[in-house]
């Protein structure tokens, strides 16, 4: 891993934070950071060219293969010496986001330095909006002097200037979540003429209208015009040639699907009085399809006290959404992605999700129970889909050839459009909503540290087998042979100490852990079995296990219900770019075949640049298992399927082909004798048991990038 490329024209934002409280509840937004410091970034540019020559910057951002997020440096207030050293050593325009009371001394010291390239914004000023607009106006007036001091030549654009009057996204629809896209879009085209504050009367009027249409999708459908505007701008100014015939048409879409985890009850006393129960109920709300909060109220309660409690709950939800929208905005900034915050879900899907909770994994031991899992998954996916997507939105999404980044604890992969799982048609990765502090850490790490898949990645790959059980040992000869032929390293570790020592000494770029996993019902965390010992979340954190790419071939390492901070999240917290893990128990043979397929092709793929990014490669291999598990059992007695099988393996690379492939495979499955199909049904749909977390979409293959730049820039 290396530092992400930085430019003199980048604006560096400095956010000050307090000490993180270790006992902070995981479902609360971080208390050590002022949410206004994140919210105000939406009104500022990433780069000073956006103030002087926005069309030049726009063309570069849309056509650049590299990500260009906001440059934010987080400093603890107690690290004042390091902060001042950073300020004085950073030769960029710097904007410090300070609080009046907490940062008086620092403000005084900075004023004495009188550095023209260091600006201060008060984030707790009652006239916050006016301060933002004033600072923007000042930067625009003084931009020529800033260019001169930074010794930057103002590049002349080779393209026509963008006519703001004709831009596709001028109007803000007074539904707060859509504000993100309005700001992202207008920032990129250099239109900074908007105000921080919104017109409260208009917002209130629109809210009353939405309340009358609480079960419509009117608010959700506001996003469709915005998505169309983003895609129009991307396609209009996209001037590059892509090295591969299968490619994405537009930038990734960012979905935020908030979820009220029922296990927050574990963080409160078991014996709850009436008042506490009411307060808990107000933060466990969910929303209708038109984003109207549903609060449980008691008819026999005093109306005034009930109103106070509900208002407190509403304020909590509002702050939660403000934080998630700020994270969504920053997540979008990597690649000019549209952002969609979906309705908050909760109690209405608890029952369905609970069937697949870790405490029920022991029930999936029989073939009959295993074959019911995919049916349950489809029911969950369909129920979530109805609660968050209109038909109009689904029609847009099914045609939109892009990757998906989800901010959610829920299984976006299981959502179905026309009865086809979203993870079969789209590459999906998630940033777990719980805990909120991890979302900040993930952005901070990804914005500063870059990683590419090197052409010799196979030599940097470590497979750790954590068991000597017979089901695993029968594969060992095949894996050892592949290791010798391909060049990856395989080790057996039967103690946690040996595991930690092996990983720290090898320093892999890609780590595969092949073992058993289980669930601790006391702390609601998953762990991986290493011999007879437990590799826990704390083991990864305390021993500083940092690996860019991780694949956990173990059962239920990231359950979608009934856990907080599963083991997969620990790798993400320590800086992993991508972690592939599992929602459910997986078949040992099927899971081994998936990671062996990944390994057997990895050397060739890395050297040829056959894929754009890591997420694309992993999703291709996981979804292709549907084909492998459908056709391989048939080939001995029905060789006529061989050509169909190999044709589909190639076609599945293409987005437009995938819906047809899924439907064709389902038709073939209907022709298979029921006995054979039932023996393999759970394995066929096991691709749905996997989930990717992190930003694998940002991890480019080095060779692909090299070819891309040669074609477009030489």
């Amino acid at each position: 891993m290396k530092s992400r490329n930085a430019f003199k024209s980048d604006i560096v934002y400095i956010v000050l934070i307090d000490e993180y409280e270790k006992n902070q509840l995981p479902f609360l937004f971080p208390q050590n950071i002022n949410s206004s410091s994140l919210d105000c970034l939406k009104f500022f540019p990433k780069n000073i060219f956006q103030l002087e020559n926005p069309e030049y910057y726009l063309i570069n951002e849309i056509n650049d293969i590299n990500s260009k997020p906001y440059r934010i440096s987080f400093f603890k207030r107690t690290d004042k010496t390091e902060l001042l050293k950073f300020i004085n050593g950073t030769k960029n325009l710097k904007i410090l986001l300070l609080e009046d009371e907490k940062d008086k001394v620092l403000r005084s010291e900075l004023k004495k330095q009188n550095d023209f390239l260091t600006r201060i914004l008060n984030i707790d000023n009652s006239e916050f909006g006016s301060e933002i607009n004033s600072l923007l106006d000042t930067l625009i007036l003084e931009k020529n002097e800033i260019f001169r001091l930074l010794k930057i030549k103002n590049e002349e654009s080779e393209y026509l200037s963008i006519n703001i009057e004709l831009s596709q996204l001028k109007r803000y629809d007074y539904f707060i979540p859509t504000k993100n896209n309005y700001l992202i879009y207008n920032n990129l085209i250099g239109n900074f003429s908007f105000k921080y504050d919104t017109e409260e009367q208009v917002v209130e009027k629109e809210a009353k209208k939405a309340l009358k249409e609480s079960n419509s999708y009117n608010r959700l459908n506001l996003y469709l015009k915005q998505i169309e505007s983003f895609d129009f701008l991307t396609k209009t100014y996209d001037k590059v040639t892509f090295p591969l015939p299968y490619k994405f048409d537009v930038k990734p879409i960012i979905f935020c699907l908030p979820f009220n985890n029922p296990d927050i009850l574990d963080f409160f006393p078991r014996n709850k009085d009436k008042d506490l129960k009411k307060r808990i109920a107000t933060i466990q709300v969910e929303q209708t399809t038109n984003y109207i909060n549903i609060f449980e109220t008691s008819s026999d309660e005093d109306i005034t006290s009930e109103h106070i409690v509900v208002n407190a709950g509403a304020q909590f939800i509002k702050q939660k959404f403000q934080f998630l929208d700020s994270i969504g905005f920053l997540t979008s900034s990597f690649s000019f992605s549209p952002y969609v915050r979906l309705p908050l879900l909760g109690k209405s899907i608890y029952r369905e999700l609970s069937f697949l909770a870790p405490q029920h994994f022991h029930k999936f031991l029989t073939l009959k129970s295993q074959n019911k899992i995919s049916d349950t998954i489809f029911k969950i996916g369909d129920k979530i889909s109805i609660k968050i997507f209109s038909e109009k939105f689904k029609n847009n999404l099914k045609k939109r050839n892009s990757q998906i980044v989800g901010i959610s604890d829920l299984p976006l992969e299981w959502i179905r459009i026309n009865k086809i799982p979203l993870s079969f048609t789209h590459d999906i990765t998630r940033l777990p909503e719980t805990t909120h502090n991890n979302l900040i850490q993930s952005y901070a790490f990804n914005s500063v540290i870059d990683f590419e898949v090197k052409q010799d990645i196979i030599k940097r790959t470590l497979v750790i087998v954590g068991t000597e059980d017979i089901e695993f040992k029968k594969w060992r000869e095949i894996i050892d042979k592949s290791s010798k032929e391909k060049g990856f390293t395989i080790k057996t570790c039967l103690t946690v100490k040996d595991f930690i020592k092996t990983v720290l000494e090898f320093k892999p770029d890609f780590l595969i852990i092949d073992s058993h996993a289980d669930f601790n019902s006391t702390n609601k965390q998953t762990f991986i079995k290493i011999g007879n010992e437990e590799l826990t979340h704390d083991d990864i954190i305390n021993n500083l296990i940092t690996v860019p790419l991780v694949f956990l071939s173990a059962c239920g390492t990231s359950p979608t219900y009934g856990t907080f901070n599963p083991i997969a999240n620990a790798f993400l917290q320590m800086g992993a770019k991508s972690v592939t893990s599992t929602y459910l128990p997986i078949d040992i043979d099927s899971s081994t075949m998936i990671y062996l397929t990944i390994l057997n092709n990895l050397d060739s793929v890395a050297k040829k640049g056959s894929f754009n990014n890591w997420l694309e490669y992993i999703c291709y291999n996981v979804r292709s298992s549907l084909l492998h598990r459908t056709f391989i059992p048939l080939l001995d007695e029905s060789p006529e399927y061989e050509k169909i099988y190999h044709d589909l393996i190639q076609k599945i690379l293409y987005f437009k082909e995938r819906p047809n492939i899924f439907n064709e495979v389902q038709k073939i499955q209907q022709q298979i004798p029921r006995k054979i199909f039932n023996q393999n049904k759970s394995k066929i749909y096991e691709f749905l048991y996997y989930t990717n977390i992190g930003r694998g979409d940002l991890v480019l293959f080095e060779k692909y990038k090299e070819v891309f730049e040669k074609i477009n820039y030489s």
Side-chain angles (χ1 to χ4, degrees):
M1 289 193 275
K2 62 181 183 180
S3 296
R4 188 175 291 282
N5 285 341
F7 301 93
K8 288 191 291 183
S9 55
D10 290 341
I11 300 174
V12 176
Y13 294 92
I14 298 173
V15 174
L16 300 187
I17 60 176
D18 299 315
E19 292 290 338
Y20 180 72
E21 296 180 13
K22 290 186 177 180
N23 60 348
Q24 181 178 310
L25 298 177
F27 55 86
L28 291 178
F29 45 87
Q31 303 297 296
N32 63 329
I33 185 169
N34 189 323
S35 59
S36 295
S37 63
L38 300 180
D39 192 47
C40 75
L41 292 170
K42 302 173 186 177
F43 298 86
F44 286 99
K46 294 188 277 188
N47 189 289
I48 58 175
F49 275 117
Q50 290 173 265
L51 300 175
E52 171 65 16
N53 198 338
E55 64 271 23
Y56 169 79
Y57 183 81
L58 181 151
I59 297 299
N60 274 276
E61 171 150 332
I62 286 180
N63 290 279
D64 198 336
I65 194 170
N66 298 299
S67 302
K68 293 185 176 180
Y70 276 82
R71 282 187 65 187
I72 308 174
S73 294
F74 294 89
F75 279 90
K76 290 181 181 176
R77 284 190 164 82
T78 51
D79 294 340
K80 193 171 72 173
T81 303
E82 285 301 312
L83 171 59
L84 290 171
K85 183 180 176 182
F86 175 81
I87 291 171
N88 295 326
T90 302
K91 305 304 179 185
N92 290 72
L93 174 63
K94 300 167 286 290
I95 298 178
L96 278 85
L97 310 174
L98 303 183
E99 297 179 41
D100 275 338
E101 289 301 317
K102 291 182 179 179
D103 303 315
K104 277 183 178 179
V105 176
L106 177 61
R107 183 192 310 279
S108 177
E109 290 190 34
L110 291 172
K111 281 187 176 181
K112 288 177 186 177
Q113 292 185 5
N114 195 28
D115 178 17
F116 190 81
L117 293 176
T118 301
R119 306 301 172 96
I120 294 172
L121 178 70
N122 294 329
I123 60 173
D124 57 356
N125 191 313
S126 58
E127 299 294 326
F128 186 32
S130 298
E131 283 225 15
I132 287 176
N133 294 328
S134 176
L135 180 53
L136 271 172
D137 290 341
T138 302
L139 293 177
I140 291 169
L141 284 171
E142 297 177 347
K143 62 182 183 292
N144 290 335
E145 180 63 9
I146 294 171
F147 272 102
R148 188 187 70 78
L149 289 172
L150 292 173
K151 298 178 181 178
I152 297 174
K153 181 183 176 183
N154 186 4
E155 301 285 347
E156 291 296 324
S157 175
E158 298 177 9
Y159 302 92
L160 295 175
S161 293
I162 295 157
N163 187 338
I164 291 174
E165 291 305 311
L166 297 178
S167 74
Q168 297 286 302
L169 189 57
K170 292 185 295 181
R171 192 165 136 261
Y172 166 48
D173 291 293
Y174 298 100
F175 172 45
I176 299 298
T178 64
K179 192 173 184 177
N180 264 13
N181 289 331
Y182 173 78
L183 295 173
I184 295 166
Y185 185 99
N186 282 279
N187 281 356
L188 189 63
I189 67 173
N191 179 14
F192 292 96
S193 59
F194 36 72
K195 297 178 180 178
Y196 174 79
D197 299 309
T198 55
E199 298 174 36
E200 291 298 328
Q201 289 181 337
V202 181
V203 173
E204 188 177 339
K205 179 183 175 183
E206 292 294 322
K208 287 179 179 178
K209 181 181 175 184
L211 189 60
K212 293 177 182 178
E213 305 161 337
S214 61
N215 293 315
S216 72
Y217 294 95
N218 292 343
R219 284 176 155 181
L220 173 74
N221 289 337
L222 292 173
Y223 282 112
L224 292 174
K225 177 65 175 175
Q226 295 189 327
I227 294 169
E228 181 186 317
S229 301
F230 273 68
D231 295 349
F232 172 82
L233 199 64
T234 297
K235 291 175 181 178
T236 300
Y237 291 96
D238 186 344
K239 307 294 181 182
V240 298
T241 301
F242 291 91
L244 300 171
Y246 42 93
K247 65 182 184 68
F248 307 111
D249 293 337
V250 287
K251 304 293 185 182
I253 189 168
I254 314 297
F255 283 127
C256 177
L257 177 53
F259 176 57
N260 266 329
N261 194 318
D263 292 304
I264 66 173
L265 295 175
D266 293 345
F267 294 90
F268 294 96
R270 286 187 176 276
N271 298 319
K272 305 172 187 68
D273 59 34
K274 199 172 184 181
D275 184 57
L276 179 58
K277 285 181 180 179
K278 283 196 299 181
R279 292 179 185 277
I280 293 172
T282 62
I283 65 173
Q284 281 193 296
V285 305
E286 59 182 327
Q287 293 182 317
T288 68
T289 54
N290 208 29
Y291 298 82
I292 303 301
N293 293 342
I294 306 170
F295 291 100
E296 290 186 4
T297 57
S298 306
S299 57
D300 59 342
E301 290 294 327
D302 175 69
I303 294 175
T304 304
S305 63
E306 191 79 11
H307 183 70
I308 291 171
V309 172
V310 168
N311 277 349
Q315 187 61 28
F316 171 84
I317 297 298
K318 181 181 178 180
Q319 290 175 327
K320 173 190 177 86
F321 288 159
Q322 182 183 2
F323 173 75
L324 290 175
D325 286 347
S326 293
I327 292 296
F329 176 86
L330 294 175
T331 304
S332 297
S333 77
F334 282 92
S335 56
F336 187 56
S337 295
Y339 167 78
V340 179
R341 194 222 304 154
L342 299 161
L344 170 65
L345 298 186
K347 284 187 176 181
S348 63
I349 58 169
Y350 286 173
R351 182 175 177 273
E352 287 81 0
L353 288 173
S354 68
F355 294 142
L356 302 181
Q359 52 265 44
H360 295 151
F361 284 177
H362 68 280
K363 297 177 182 178
F364 304 145
L365 298 177
T366 66
L367 183 63
K368 185 178 180 181
S369 62
Q370 290 168 6
N371 284 343
K372 289 180 179 178
I373 292 176
S374 60
D375 298 331
T376 303
I377 286 173
F378 292 148
K379 286 177 183 176
I380 292 170
D382 290 345
K383 187 161 189 178
I384 293 175
S385 179
I386 290 169
K387 288 181 170 294
I388 63 173
F389 286 144
S390 65
E391 287 302 316
K392 277 186 180 180
F393 202 99
K394 285 192 281 190
N395 285 333
N396 176 281
L397 186 57
K398 75 179 181 183
K399 297 172 187 174
R400 193 175 192 276
N401 178 12
S402 79
Q403 296 186 309
I404 293 173
V405 179
I407 302 170
S408 186
D409 291 333
L410 288 172
L412 290 166
E413 299 90 344
W414 298 353
I415 293 169
R416 293 201 299 176
I417 298 177
N418 294 345
K419 297 192 174 182
I420 302 172
L422 198 57
S423 62
F424 191 84
T425 53
H426 294 71
D427 303 339
I428 301 176
T429 188
R430 293 184 303 111
L431 298 170
E433 181 188 346
T434 309
T435 64
H436 288 351
N437 195 60
N438 287 353
L439 290 171
I440 292 283
Q441 288 183 323
S442 178
Y443 175 79
F445 196 82
N446 281 307
S447 65
V448 174
I449 303 298
D450 197 11
F451 177 76
E452 294 174 3
V453 181
K454 302 293 184 185
Q455 293 182 50
D456 64 347
I457 180 71
I458 199 71
K459 294 178 182 177
R460 303 164 185 254
T461 297
L462 173 65
V463 179
I464 289 184
V465 179
T467 177
E468 290 188 321
D469 287 0
I470 188 65
E471 299 95 331
F472 291 80
K473 288 185 77 171
K474 70 180 182 182
W475 282 97
R476 190 57 190 261
E477 185 178 340
I478 297 172
I479 300 171
D480 283 341
K481 182 181 177 183
S482 179
S483 170
K484 290 174 184 175
E485 290 176 355
K486 301 299 179 181
F488 62 87
T489 299
I490 182 168
K491 297 282 186 182
T492 298
C493 295
L494 299 178
T495 66
V496 170
K497 183 179 179 181
D498 191 25
F499 170 89
I500 292 167
K501 180 174 180 289
T502 301
V503 174
L504 292 178
E505 286 180 355
F506 191 87
K507 296 182 176 63
D509 280 359
F510 181 29
L511 172 65
I512 296 174
I513 304 177
D514 188 12
S515 191
H516 296 294
D518 210 335
F519 168 72
N520 185 321
S521 58
T522 302
N523 63 18
K524 298 290 180 79
Q525 292 185 3
T526 58
F527 59 85
I528 296 172
K529 294 293 293 288
I530 302 294
N532 294 321
E533 298 179 5
E534 298 176 3
L535 179 70
T536 66
H537 187 280
D538 286 347
D539 290 325
I540 303 302
I541 303 299
N542 295 338
N543 290 283
L544 306 179
I545 303 294
T546 300
V547 183
L549 307 171
V550 179
F551 190 100
L552 302 179
S553 185
C555 293
T557 46
S558 284
T560 191
Y561 187 88
T563 58
F564 274 106
N565 257 358
I567 181 104
N569 289 20
F571 290 98
L572 201 62
Q573 192 175 333
M574 287 306 301
K577 292 289 184 178
S578 175
V579 183
T580 303
S581 54
T582 51
Y583 287 128
L584 293 159
I586 50 177
D587 176 73
I588 294 171
D589 293 346
S590 296
S591 59
T592 307
M593 287 170 63
I594 286 178
Y595 84 69
L596 266 178
T597 303
I598 291 169
L599 289 171
N600 287 336
N601 294 323
L602 184 56
D603 188 45
S604 172
V605 162
K607 287 176 177 173
K608 292 179 181 177
S610 305
F611 288 86
N612 177 338
N613 59 51
W614 185 254
L615 179 63
E616 183 184 18
Y617 180 58
I618 290 295
C619 289
Y620 165 75
N621 281 283
V622 172
R623 76 167 60 93
S624 294
S625 67
L626 171 84
L627 303 179
H628 302 323
R629 301 306 297 185
T630 297
F631 288 103
I632 289 176
L634 304 177
L635 296 182
D636 285 342
E637 295 188 10
S638 306
E640 67 272 15
Y641 283 119
E642 187 164 356
K643 185 177 185 309
I644 298 172
Y645 171 41
H646 288 295
D647 285 348
L648 294 182
I649 285 292
Q650 292 303 311
K651 286 183 178 180
I652 204 171
L653 288 163
Y654 296 85
F655 173 77
K656 289 182 179 178
E657 296 287 348
R658 291 175 199 153
N660 298 330
I661 290 171
F662 190 86
N663 291 330
E664 184 176 346
V665 169
Q666 289 216 308
K667 287 179 183 177
I668 290 171
Q669 289 170 358
Q670 291 171 7
Q671 300 168 13
I672 300 172
R674 285 298 87 188
K675 185 177 180 181
I676 296 176
F677 176 72
N678 288 334
Q679 286 174 342
N680 292 283
K681 181 183 176 184
S682 63
K683 298 171 186 175
I684 287 170
Y685 290 107
E686 200 164 286
F687 75 95
L688 292 165
Y689 301 5
Y690 288 85
T691 184
N692 298 296
I693 61 174
R695 291 303 303 268
D697 60 306
L698 301 178
V699 178
L700 301 175
F701 277 86
E702 179 187 59
K703 183 63 178 179
Y704 178 90
K705 180 180 174 181
E706 179 187 307
V707 174
F708 178 93
E709 291 179 338
K710 185 177 181 181
I711 291 172
N712 291 288
Y713 305 146
S714 339

